[in-house]
Amino acid sequence: MNIKNNFLETIGNTPLIKLNYPSTITGCNIYGKAEFLNPGGSIKDRAAKAIVLDAVKKGLLKKGGTIVEGTAGNTGIGLGLVGNSLGVKTVIVMPETQSQEKKDALNLIGCELKLVPALPYSDPGNYIRQSEIIAKELEFKYQKGVLWANQFDNIANMLGHYKGIGPEIWDQTKGNINGFTCAVGTGGTLAGVSKYLKEKNNEVKIFLSDPYGSALYNYYKHNKLESEGNSITEGIGQGRITENLKNLKVDGAFRIKDEEALNIIFKMLKEEGLFLGGSSGINICGAIEMAKKLGPGNNIVTILCDSGQRYQSKIWNKSFLKSKNLPQPYWMDSKHE
């Protein structure tokens, strides 16, 4: 019997699931790392654990202390749960445009939630910049330590994936992996996993899967930080090179439309029972493109970031999708709107 001693030990060691439709149409074996099965419901549990334990180890945070972070939601949920397990308070700053389900989850687990307008990173009102300001203000009030998690530029994030998902994927595939791809928010996952896999076998191909509205596709393809279009996906896409991204080297990049991502997650739910969020759709579409590029017979892994339940009011809401002129799940009728 595998008994865990505490909440932190339940994070990670998620299964690898073969994605049958993507595998069949490409002639490759495409696998998804089921990060939605982490206890907080997303891959961001790993970043939260890595960042907080790093701060505890360095003596920056003690029981009774406070974590402050700017997040699109999932990292905040992970930090809140990790904080609860360690007797630490969590303050979350989040753009008001994020899904209601994430806001509700943060309130339910006891985080102090501050909603701010969705503004670019260059604006002082941006949620990340606001979280830094709040953390500095709280430093004068609390003696047990105030941690600004700073997930975008704290490389404990990347190292957590380097030590966690990277080895897990290598062991689960028994080293028989030809490619890895995923989208980028902070950069921690792609940078950490690629670093580990390239160290094990430099022939493993690493590709970025980027939504429209992000500048990274143009950066890695044309060496210029320019964005085009927009996306309804949350928590992914980036307009700058974060500290976690600074040493990332990719073999290529794909840009994925929301329409493609939505259609694939609708198919994954209806035909394979996988209820996923939009970023997983971007990732699966990227894996399909990667399989087409590498050719049949290759083994490709991507990330299934979180559950579709986190976006019930958006990408699983027919009215919302209609308002954006996006495809809708065909089996939904008006009572789901």
Side-chain angles (χ1 to χ4, degrees), residues 24-294:
T24 299
I25 64 171
T26 60
C28 288
N29 294 309
I30 295 179
Y31 302 98
K33 193 84 163 86
E35 292 301 298
F36 59 88
L37 293 178
N38 278 303
S42 84
I43 189 171
K44 295 297 187 176
D45 288 4
R46 292 184 187 260
K49 176 181 176 180
I51 288 169
V52 172
L53 290 187
D54 177 68
V56 169
K57 183 179 179 181
K58 291 175 178 175
L60 302 175
L61 186 68
K62 300 180 178 67
K63 187 173 182 178
T66 302
I67 301 165
V68 181
E69 182 59 331
T71 165
N74 279 334
T75 303
I77 294 166
L79 286 170
L81 295 172
V82 169
N84 287 352
S85 74
L86 295 173
V88 173
K89 178 184 176 181
T90 306
V91 178
I92 297 300
V93 184
M94 189 168 76
E96 59 193 4
T97 51
Q98 302 307 291
S99 74
Q100 189 60 44
E101 290 78 13
K102 290 180 183 176
K103 297 171 189 174
D104 291 343
L106 287 163
N107 283 317
L108 283 168
I109 64 178
C111 296
E112 182 180 336
L113 177 59
K114 298 179 182 295
L115 297 175
V116 298
L119 297 169
Y121 183 75
S122 58
D123 192 299
N126 172 268
Y127 69 105
I128 301 168
R129 295 185 181 277
Q130 285 297 302
S131 69
E132 182 181 14
I133 291 169
I134 290 169
K136 287 179 178 177
E137 290 173 348
L138 291 178
E139 282 179 4
F140 297 102
K141 296 183 180 180
Y142 300 111
Q143 304 300 315
K144 300 292 185 179
V146 174
L147 169 67
W148 179 41
N150 191 19
Q151 60 173 321
F152 293 87
D153 297 305
N154 185 341
I155 63 167
N157 175 359
M158 180 274 289
L159 292 173
H161 292 93
Y162 171 78
K163 296 173 183 176
I165 295 187
E168 289 173 30
I169 289 173
W170 184 260
D171 291 344
Q172 287 168 324
T173 59
K174 297 181 171 57
N176 188 15
I177 175 173
N178 305 105
F180 176 80
T181 183
C182 71
V184 159
T186 65
T189 303
L190 189 58
V193 174
S194 65
K195 175 176 167 62
Y196 184 86
L197 294 177
K198 286 286 193 180
E199 286 177 3
K200 298 300 286 187
N201 178 5
N202 195 47
E203 295 303 310
V204 176
K205 301 300 181 186
I206 305 296
F207 276 68
L208 164 72
S209 297
D210 211 31
Y212 276 81
S214 171
L216 295 182
Y217 172 81
N218 277 329
Y219 178 78
Y220 289 110
K221 291 287 282 189
H222 309 297
N223 199 32
K224 55 183 180 180
L225 272 172
E226 288 183 7
S227 63
E228 298 166 292
N230 54 63
S231 172
I232 62 167
T233 54
E234 296 184 10
I236 57 171
Q238 187 54 259
R240 66 186 180 96
I241 301 303
T242 66
E243 288 297 321
N244 283 293
L245 281 172
K246 279 198 171 169
N247 295 312
L248 172 67
K249 295 178 181 176
V250 299
D251 297 294
F254 304 113
R255 188 157 55 185
I256 309 297
K257 295 178 180 178
D258 281 353
E259 291 86 346
E260 298 172 87
L262 288 168
N263 281 325
I264 201 72
I265 61 170
F266 297 160
K267 199 169 190 71
M268 288 293 102
L269 175 57
K270 197 62 177 173
E271 298 185 11
E272 303 196 32
L274 293 169
F275 188 22
L276 304 168
S279 54
S280 298
I282 297 288
N283 289 348
I284 296 169
C285 287
I288 291 170
E289 291 303 312
M290 191 174 191
K292 292 175 181 176
K293 188 171 185 68
L294 297 185

